[in-house]
Amino acid sequence: MRATRTLPLAITMTLALTACGGSALSGEGGDGGGDDTVKIALLVPQSGVYAPLGKDMEAGFRLYLEENDDQLGGKDVELTVVDEGAGPEDGVPAGTKLAQDDSVDAVVGVVNSATALGLTDSFDEAKKPLIIANAGADAITGKESSEYVWRTSFANGEVGSAIGEHVAEEVGDGSVYLVGPDYAAGDEFLAGFKKSFEDAGGEVAGTQMTPFGKTTNFQPYLQKVRNADPDAVFAFYAGSEAVTFVQQYDKLGLHENIPFYATGFLTEGGALEAQGKSAEGIFTSLHYSSALDNETNTAFVEAYEAENDGPPTTYSVQAYDAGNVLDEALEEGTSGDDIVAGLQGTGEIDSPRGTWSFSDQQGPDQTYYLRKVAQQDGAWTNVVEGELTKPSS
Ligand code: PHB
């Protein structure tokens, strides 16, 4: 992480204006910014069930800029924020437009796996870097994707896989029921869990996928869970779906009777605040918690809380770290190939999640933590219980 510097007023105003505008600034036009300027577009949801995640990502990216004089790689940043929308029907056209817009040097963001999968070819063809700061579909990065697509978040399979062995130990001879939204990410989180859970001797009682972005009444699905009489549940949900699912799990009386495990997105930030006591005792797997005890995180949480209403989330950190890696990469120059060469040269990233580095799949090689929802200093928190087995995928 770069040293903290104070944000000049003029730059704050430029950033505020570009954020409202929703389209790239023209500057010199043509090939992105001039030698001293770089144009970055942040593509995050401002509508749909994942809108709260987009807000956290924007706050994380802006914090990195503020702490670094609104410069990345020694160049002034012109930032524009573009709505990813509710799903690929909005996000793919919005992202494709940015890939083809010569005035934009690099794009950061993308929450939804289906959207990211629909964008990799356009960025590859345009030779423009796309730094995915959330979407986890396993095939987005790596050999089968593009040298221009990088990721500062996670691979879906890994998050589920990390906790499978632990749950198998906890339930012993018992069985676990799997639930998630019916799209690329839901499938992969559950598949990653299933593989490591079954490899460790666990038994799956059943699987229920729910229509993504359209389900506000989970009761018929939860009834099926209850009828299967499992010894535990494992789920992936995020954003507003996570709030509804957890509240209804509690309301139907499942909370007291069936231990609940999940990917950590279920209980992040605003979702956990809304769930409150209905989330108490849920165990999750994730690569971050705002309660992580390390120096970088302590400084990050303090700076983030000074600018925002609540503590940072994993979404904020993923975008903050995208700023960090771009800061290093842009020292090479602003062309797509310069930025890729810079990304290839990044070593250990000093992150609030703990140090990590890029794997040969162009995504983080990082630690996953076991977290438990409990009250700490009067606030519902993902208390860190320990580190999980390193995922194999
Ligand atoms: C995804 O679509 O990859 C996704 C969305 C929300 C999350 C995590 C992953 O919280």
Side-chain angles (χ1 to χ4, degrees), residues 50 53 111-114 134-137 154 156 183 185 189 236 238 265 315:
Y50 291 157
L53 285 53
V111 163
N112 185 302
S113 276
N134 185 66
F154 53 87
N156 289 337
Y183 82 104
F189 284 120
F236 159 71
F265 311 106
Y315 310 109

Side-chain angles (χ1 to χ4, degrees), residues 284-359:
T284 63
S285 145
L286 207 63
H287 46 288
Y288 179 69
S289 161
S290 58
L292 266 179
D293 185 13
N294 69 57
E295 254 177 54
T296 307
N297 191 43
T298 304
F300 173 70
V301 171
E302 193 183 325
Y304 190 94
E305 286 182 336
E307 302 276 329
N308 297 282
D309 285 341
T313 62
T314 198
Y315 310 109
S316 332
V317 172
Q318 292 162 178
Y320 183 83
D321 285 358
N324 196 346
V325 297
L326 272 175
D327 198 3
E328 207 169 319
L330 279 161
E331 291 194 0
E332 295 280 328
T334 55
S335 77
D337 289 326
D338 289 342
I339 296 172
V340 166
L343 289 168
Q344 282 162 346
T346 52
E348 280 213 327
I349 316 296
D350 176 17
S351 164
R353 71 182 94 171
T355 52
W356 62 270
S357 53
F358 281 118
S359 71

Side-chain angles (χ1 to χ4, degrees), residues 66-284:
E66 282 184 24
E67 288 180 345
N68 291 281
D69 257 352
D70 288 298
Q71 289 196 331
L72 293 176
K75 293 151 185 74
D76 291 335
V77 173
E78 290 180 6
L79 181 69
T80 180
V81 184
V82 176
D83 187 8
E84 181 187 333
E89 61 287 356
D90 307 313
V92 173
T96 306
K97 207 166 149 204
L98 293 171
Q100 293 167 353
D101 181 344
D102 286 342
S103 76
V104 173
D105 294 300
V107 175
V108 174
V110 190
V111 163
N112 185 302
S113 276
T115 301
L117 288 167
L119 286 176
T120 52
D121 284 354
S122 306
F123 279 83
D124 193 57
E125 274 157 33
K127 300 186 186 304
K128 183 176 294 186
L130 170 61
I131 317 293
I132 302 276
N134 185 66
D138 296 341
I140 293 169
T141 61
K143 312 258 172 301
E144 62 280 19
S145 183
S146 164
E147 64 176 308
Y148 297 93
V149 182
W150 291 66
R151 173 150 64 193
T152 56
S153 49
F154 53 87
N156 289 337
E158 288 184 1
V159 191
S161 161
I163 197 173
E165 189 183 325
H166 172 75
V167 179
E169 279 164 15
E170 291 295 310
V171 297
D173 289 340
S175 64
V176 173
Y177 200 98
L178 316 182
V179 204
D182 190 10
Y183 82 104
D187 295 339
E188 287 186 353
F189 284 120
L190 299 192
F193 172 81
K194 187 167 185 274
K195 177 154 190 335
S196 69
F197 175 66
E198 287 184 338
D199 285 353
E203 191 201 324
V204 172
T207 303
Q208 177 67 59
M209 306 309 286
T210 59
F212 170 63
K214 299 188 182 81
T215 317
T216 49
N217 178 12
F218 287 99
Q219 299 205 11
Y221 307 106
L222 288 167
Q223 198 54 51
K224 286 192 189 169
V225 175
R226 196 209 298 266
N227 293 346
D229 194 23
D231 296 282
V233 161
F234 177 79
F236 159 71
Y237 285 104
S240 58
E241 285 194 326
V243 176
T244 320
F245 187 85
V246 168
Q247 286 175 341
Q248 294 179 6
Y249 192 89
D250 184 41
K251 208 164 160 209
L252 275 189
L254 274 63
H255 188 182
E256 296 108 67
N257 300 312
I258 312 178
F260 194 167
Y261 296 89
T263 56
F265 311 106
L266 188 83
T267 57
E268 275 298 276
L272 181 56
E273 213 180 302
Q275 292 154 352
K277 195 166 169 50
S278 66
E280 186 170 20
I282 296 178
F283 285 101
T284 63

